[in-house]
Amino acid sequence: MGRIVQKFGGTSVGSVERIQNAARRVIKEVENGNEVVVVVSAMGKTTDELVRLAGEISANPSKREMDMLLTTGEQITIALLTMALHQQGYKAQSLTGWQAGIQTENAFSNARILDIDSTRIEDLLKSGHIAVVAGFQGVITETNDIATLGRGGSDTTAVALAAALKADRCDIYTDVTGVFTTDPRVVKTARKIPSISYDEMLEMANLGAGVLHPRAVEFAKNYQISLEVRSSMSDERGTLVEEESSMEQNLMVRGLAFEGNITKITVSNMPNNINALSDLFTILASNGINVDIIIQNVMNEEKTNISFSIETSHLSETQEVLAGFQDKLGFESISYESGLAKVSIVGSGMISNHGVAAKMFKALSDQNILIKMVSTSEIKVSTVVKQEDMVKSIETLHDIFELDARVPVQNS
Amino acid sequence: MGRIVQKFGGTSVGSVERIQNAARRVIKEVENGNEVVVVVSAMGKTTDELVRLAGEISANPSKREMDMLLTTGEQITIALLTMALHQQGYKAQSLTGWQAGIQTENAFSNARILDIDSTRIEDLLKSGHIAVVAGFQGVITETNDIATLGRGGSDTTAVALAAALKADRCDIYTDVTGVFTTDPRVVKTARKIPSISYDEMLEMANLGAGVLHPRAVEFAKNYQISLEVRSSMSDERGTLVEEESSMEQNLMVRGLAFEGNITKITVSNMPNNINALSDLFTILASNGINVDIIIQNVMNEEKTNISFSIETSHLSETQEVLAGFQDKLGFESISYESGLAKVSIVGSGMISNHGVAAKMFKALSDQNILIKMVSTSEIKVSTVVKQEDMVKSIETLHDIFELDARVPVQNS
């Protein structure tokens, strides 16, 4: 007998029919002799609707009250899913975050989980119940306030519960069948990845693959929880996220991630003192501007040029902030280039294959694609290219790294 | 400085605009130097919508899960109202039932409040906050489960908080301007009652006046909480519900209540043993049939006829239940008369005015209205008449007891 945590995202519980479908997946695992804990998100567009209501009242609502408001979404789903399980004759009980013992730090809207007191869930499992837990929420122990875990919070709840309960597996049910080598809507030959390491998944997730939140992946990595990302609408096996297997380790490139609407900003002739980089990016961060790739190009001992990439939607804001600090930072001018995109290859095999980046650059230049910026980590190479070259870049790289040529998809 | 509990019902918080309007009423009391605790219901049709969702999943959902589901409605309102108060620059904090310390018995869907630990609310008031509390809900201390208080639960929450907090006043904001001598949609000259005693209000509420739940009135009576029922859409003074003042005590009739769709059932020639009444009404009660007026007419030492009134919608069910127990109860036959209505006069002055009932009967017979059943209490006389005579009966009684001829309505 195993112990499984199943997580159903918003689209997987987006209607009564889908909640009933989720119940069937829960029951299947129970019938296989497993103890099951289910974590659910709010139904479909519920959260958006609540955010809209709050927006009609206040442009800047209190975070505490937003958490109070938004946590009702998951509470509705746990009650309905539990009713659906009862209806099929199974013992089940719903639990809000505080009832499930999910204790967070004293912070609203983006609280981290500090601890889980799993006594109540353990008691439910012992007495043959399915525990149905509201994702995305916990309680601040000192104040008895309700806090949310921020974006991807339900994934994090599921993985944290799997760790606390020493579950054998954590299944993340979503609206795609798994993690793909790249976005199948862009590249027709994109293929589902049967297995991916935590670090690779982190790079894929951060780069926009979006099926599993990076926080949840980090949590899973820290506690060595095996995840499976799979569709609630199909019986197809999904993608296993786990410590890399030696057999797979040599795969140079596991997948491709990409992101459009990037702007490159260059700050020219800034005094090259020891605080230059620190001052510049501290100012940007404290003004809420997320910077991605950073390149420094020292002109001479006294002057430096610094380039960085941002989302184009933050361009005018970034320009304003920098203009306001021109005197303090001492740079001569700012220039920018919009209409760019980021294309990245991800794979833990790169660590021992130094030629991977070179192969990527050559493949792109063979297609006359100009690379504007480059950034590398141990398991990833990102390039910034013109937005109009993005799709061609992805197709070219998907091809050159043979991402459509691997093991066939297995059915469970 | 006073301390006030304000309660806003579903229609009074039914939209963003109405929530903002409720916030203005709260702020007005704060600006008058009062400490304010606000109790709110779910927005407009939210509860109906949640009940509908549950109904799609299960014809008979678990009470615990229904409570889990429905309590989200009030939680949404407390967050939004608190945001609206913040938006106007006031300190406020929302509290769910469990956060507000509302402890209930171990029962779902219709739990009674056992105790209120008002520490958190007291702390909020002390630090200059408005406390915004979810009505209709509490926590079962032993199990940490969420329970609802049943119909009229938000009224009960407000009155119970007023008692626990030793509030000076409890204002019940609703969609009517107060308690009327009778339904103004039926009798054009119906007049708002400036002040009514708890007992009179109980008789009016039970008989269908419907603006204030009987449980809340009983609670208010037990703890001597002064209530004011008033409209959230107007500044008009409402109706005070409080221990009767000596000046008002002599008013014979305070108001008229009525209810259509009544059926009178007669069980004939039942053995007249000591358990006859008890057996009959125990069987009906255990089958969920609410009986209102009961009349026993002993035929002789051995046989008795018993008549009682029910809502016509329960007629076929009642007939089935009685038929099933005919052997056990030993009666000879059942007959019934539908198309009836109940018309009642209510007033604490009746206690010392024995002629009131006689005056009522004479007024009706002068109009050729046949009285089918009569039931009296110390402060009420109910008659059952033909449904077609109902409106004429009410108009006649409203007139004869001069209900439209009293003190003019005061504006605050």
Side-chain angles (χ1 to χ4, degrees):
Chain A
M1 188 171 91
R3 181 174 278 191
I4 299 176
V5 175
Q6 296 182 303
K7 183 255 173 178
F8 293 91
T11 51
S12 300
V13 291
S15 66
V16 163
E17 291 69 31
R18 290 190 176 187
I19 287 172
Q20 289 163 331
N21 172 62
R24 280 190 291 274
R25 300 202 167 266
V26 174
I27 288 167
K28 193 176 164 195
E29 296 296 355
V30 173
E31 288 300 320
N32 286 338
N34 295 300
E35 293 178 326
V36 182
V37 175
V38 193
V39 174
V40 291
S41 300
M43 289 173 72
K45 300 289 169 204
T46 309
T47 305
D48 293 347
E49 176 58 19
L50 293 171
V51 168
R52 190 190 60 75
L53 268 179
E56 284 184 26
I57 287 175
S58 172
N60 185 26
S62 131
K63 287 181 175 178
R64 179 186 186 279
E65 300 306 327
M66 275 309 281
D67 285 0
M68 179 66 89
L69 182 68
L70 296 183
T71 49
T72 61
E74 287 75 23
Q75 190 171 328
I76 290 171
T77 319
I78 54 173
L80 294 176
L81 178 56
T82 304
M83 289 175 192
L85 291 167
H86 290 167
Q87 189 65 15
Q88 298 302 316
Y90 289 80
K91 292 205 284 183
Q93 193 176 94
S94 67
L95 300 172
T96 61
W98 59 273
Q99 289 174 332
I102 296 167
Q103 301 167 357
T104 73
E105 62 179 337
N106 194 343
F108 294 108
S109 93
N110 200 19
R112 283 171 307 174
I113 296 176
L114 292 184
D115 200 6
I116 295 183
D117 175 355
S118 58
T119 316
R120 184 158 183 177
I121 295 179
E122 290 281 5
D123 287 348
L124 283 175
L125 295 178
K126 242 172 243 154
S127 60
H129 284 79
I130 300 158
V132 182
V133 180
F136 180 64
Q137 60 181 256
V139 64
I140 302 169
T141 327
E142 304 122 74
T143 58
N144 261 343
D145 278 329
I146 299 172
T148 65
L149 310 179
R151 280 178 62 95
S154 289
D155 287 347
T156 308
T157 303
V159 176
L161 278 175
L165 296 163
K166 304 194 195 317
D168 299 293
R169 221 170 69 215
C170 180
D171 294 344
I172 308 285
Y173 285 92
T174 178
D175 52 354
V176 295
T177 55
V179 181
F180 280 71
T181 51
T182 194
D183 189 336
R185 289 168 301 186
V186 175
V187 179
K188 289 265 178 321
T189 53
R191 194 184 46 79
K192 187 167 62 187
I193 304 172
S195 156
I196 188 170
S197 75
Y198 298 117
D199 287 336
E200 289 171 330
M201 188 64 219
L202 276 174
E203 293 288 5
M204 292 293 279
N206 276 320
L207 292 169
V211 289
L212 192 55
H213 199 270
R215 272 175 75 187
V217 179
E218 278 174 25
F219 216 111
K221 184 186 176 189
N222 289 342
Y223 290 89
Q224 295 288 307
I225 308 291
S226 286
L227 305 179
E228 183 170 343
V229 178
R230 55 187 300 172
S231 166
S232 58
M233 297 300 159
S234 122
D235 283 332
E236 231 175 77
R237 290 303 299 268
T239 298
L240 277 172
V241 187
E242 56 191 359
E243 211 51 270
E244 53 204 327
S245 63
S246 55
M247 215 183 88
E248 293 271 335
Q249 199 159 19
N250 290 326
L251 281 178
M252 287 191 304
V253 177
R254 186 84 62 190
L256 293 180
F258 58 91
E259 198 182 338
N261 297 313
I262 302 284
T263 291
K264 174 187 176 182
I265 295 195
T266 302
V267 177
S268 300
N269 285 320
M270 205 164 107
N272 186 27
N273 64 46
I274 198 156
N275 297 322
L277 277 171
S278 152
D279 287 350
L280 176 61
F281 292 107
T282 302
I283 284 167
L284 290 171
S286 65
N287 281 279
I289 294 160
N290 284 319
V291 167
D292 187 6
I293 297 177
I294 297 170
I295 292 170
Q296 187 178 25
N297 183 13
V298 178
M299 306 298 288
N300 52 50
E301 276 180 24
E302 283 169 7
K303 297 288 177 181
T304 181
N305 289 353
I306 299 173
S307 296
F308 56 88
S309 70
I310 57 166
E311 284 177 32
T312 301
S313 60
H314 291 151
L315 175 57
S316 58
E317 200 186 342
T318 307
Q319 288 179 301
E320 271 174 45
V321 169
L322 289 176
F325 286 90
Q326 182 160 12
D327 286 352
K328 181 172 192 303
L329 294 169
F331 59 84
E332 198 178 284
S333 62
I334 310 171
S335 60
Y336 70 91
E337 181 178 5
S338 289
L340 302 177
K342 184 169 69 166
V343 174
S344 309
I345 56 174
V346 174
S348 52
M350 282 180 213
I351 300 174
S352 45
N353 277 275
H354 300 292
V356 175
K359 185 172 176 181
M360 179 186 193
F361 302 153
K362 178 157 194 315
L364 294 177
S365 73
D366 282 352
Q367 298 290 326
N368 285 320
I369 295 165
L370 185 67
I371 298 171
K372 304 270 182 177
M373 297 174 93
V374 171
S375 163
T376 61
S377 81
E378 287 197 321
I379 64 166
K380 148 193 110 160
V381 182
S382 294
T383 58
V384 172
V385 298
K386 280 194 200 160
Q387 176 106 28
E388 66 202 53
D389 288 335
M390 184 176 80
V391 173
K392 194 164 67 167
S393 303
I394 303 160
E395 287 170 345
T396 301
L397 296 171
H398 203 264
D399 220 41
I400 210 93
F401 289 108
E402 298 176 339
L403 289 173
D404 49 356
R406 293 234 213 93
V407 269
V409 171
Q410 298 166 326
N411 286 299
S412 67
Chain B
M1 188 169 89
R3 182 174 277 190
I4 299 175
V5 174
Q6 296 181 303
K7 182 257 173 177
F8 293 91
T11 51
S12 300
V13 291
S15 65
V16 163
E17 292 68 32
R18 290 190 175 187
I19 287 172
Q20 288 163 333
N21 172 63
R24 280 190 291 275
R25 299 202 166 266
V26 174
I27 288 167
K28 193 176 163 197
E29 295 296 355
V30 173
E31 287 301 320
N32 286 337
N34 295 299
E35 294 178 326
V36 181
V37 175
V38 194
V39 174
V40 291
S41 300
M43 290 173 72
K45 300 289 169 205
T46 309
T47 305
D48 293 348
E49 176 58 19
L50 292 172
V51 169
R52 191 190 60 74
L53 268 179
E56 284 183 27
I57 286 176
S58 172
N60 185 26
S62 131
K63 287 181 175 179
R64 180 186 185 279
E65 300 306 327
M66 275 309 281
D67 285 0
M68 178 66 89
L69 182 69
L70 296 182
T71 49
T72 61
E74 287 75 24
Q75 190 172 329
I76 289 172
T77 319
I78 55 173
L80 294 176
L81 178 56
T82 303
M83 289 175 193
L85 291 167
H86 290 167
Q87 188 64 14
Q88 298 301 316
Y90 289 80
K91 291 204 284 183
Q93 193 177 95
S94 66
L95 300 172
T96 62
W98 60 273
Q99 289 174 333
I102 296 167
Q103 301 167 357
T104 73
E105 62 180 337
N106 194 342
F108 294 108
S109 93
N110 200 20
R112 283 171 307 174
I113 296 176
L114 291 184
D115 200 6
I116 295 183
D117 174 355
S118 57
T119 316
R120 183 158 183 178
I121 295 179
E122 290 283 3
D123 288 348
L124 282 175
L125 295 177
K126 241 172 244 154
S127 60
H129 284 79
I130 301 157
V132 182
V133 180
F136 180 65
Q137 59 180 256
V139 64
I140 301 169
T141 327
E142 305 123 72
T143 58
N144 261 343
D145 278 328
I146 299 172
T148 65
L149 311 179
R151 280 178 62 97
S154 290
D155 288 347
T156 308
T157 302
V159 176
L161 279 174
L165 296 163
K166 304 195 195 318
D168 299 293
R169 222 170 69 216
C170 179
D171 294 345
I172 308 285
Y173 285 92
T174 177
D175 52 355
V176 296
T177 56
V179 181
F180 280 72
T181 51
T182 194
D183 189 334
R185 289 169 300 187
V186 175
V187 179
K188 288 266 178 319
T189 53
R191 193 183 46 78
K192 187 167 62 187
I193 304 171
S195 154
I196 189 170
S197 74
Y198 299 117
D199 286 337
E200 289 171 330
M201 188 64 218
L202 277 174
E203 294 287 6
M204 292 293 279
N206 277 320
L207 291 168
V211 289
L212 193 55
H213 200 268
R215 270 174 76 186
V217 179
E218 278 174 25
F219 216 110
K221 183 186 175 189
N222 290 341
Y223 290 90
Q224 294 289 307
I225 308 291
S226 285
L227 305 179
E228 183 169 343
V229 178
R230 56 187 301 173
S231 165
S232 58
M233 298 299 160
S234 124
D235 283 332
E236 230 175 80
R237 290 302 300 270
T239 298
L240 278 172
V241 187
E242 56 191 358
E243 209 51 90
E244 54 204 326
S245 64
S246 55
M247 214 184 89
E248 293 272 333
Q249 199 160 21
N250 290 326
L251 280 178
M252 286 191 305
V253 177
R254 187 83 62 190
L256 293 180
F258 58 90
E259 197 182 339
N261 298 314
I262 302 284
T263 291
K264 174 186 175 182
I265 295 195
T266 302
V267 177
S268 300
N269 285 320
M270 205 165 107
N272 186 27
N273 64 48
I274 198 154
N275 296 322
L277 276 170
S278 151
D279 287 350
L280 176 61
F281 293 108
T282 303
I283 284 167
L284 291 171
S286 64
N287 282 278
I289 294 160
N290 284 320
V291 167
D292 186 8
I293 297 178
I294 297 171
I295 292 170
Q296 186 180 26
N297 183 12
V298 178
M299 306 298 287
N300 53 48
E301 276 180 25
E302 284 169 6
K303 295 288 177 183
T304 183
N305 289 352
I306 298 173
S307 296
F308 56 88
S309 68
I310 56 167
E311 285 177 32
T312 302
S313 59
H314 291 151
L315 175 57
S316 58
E317 199 186 344
T318 307
Q319 288 178 300
E320 272 174 43
V321 169
L322 290 176
F325 286 90
Q326 183 160 12
D327 286 352
K328 181 172 191 307
L329 294 168
F331 59 83
E332 198 178 283
S333 62
I334 311 170
S335 60
Y336 70 91
E337 181 177 5
S338 290
L340 301 178
K342 184 170 69 166
V343 175
S344 308
I345 56 174
V346 175
S348 52
M350 282 180 213
I351 301 175
S352 45
N353 276 276
H354 301 292
V356 175
K359 185 172 175 181
M360 179 187 194
F361 303 152
K362 177 155 194 316
L364 294 177
S365 73
D366 282 352
Q367 299 289 327
N368 285 320
I369 295 165
L370 186 65
I371 298 170
K372 305 270 182 176
M373 296 174 94
V374 171
S375 163
T376 62
S377 81
E378 287 197 322
I379 64 167
K380 151 193 107 161
V381 181
S382 295
T383 57
V384 172
V385 298
K386 281 192 197 161
Q387 176 107 26
E388 65 202 56
D389 289 334
M390 184 176 80
V391 172
K392 193 164 66 166
S393 302
I394 302 160
E395 286 170 345
T396 301
L397 296 171
H398 203 262
D399 220 41
I400 210 93
F401 289 108
E402 299 176 338
L403 289 173
D404 49 357
R406 290 231 216 95
V407 270
V409 171
Q410 297 166 326
N411 286 298
S412 68

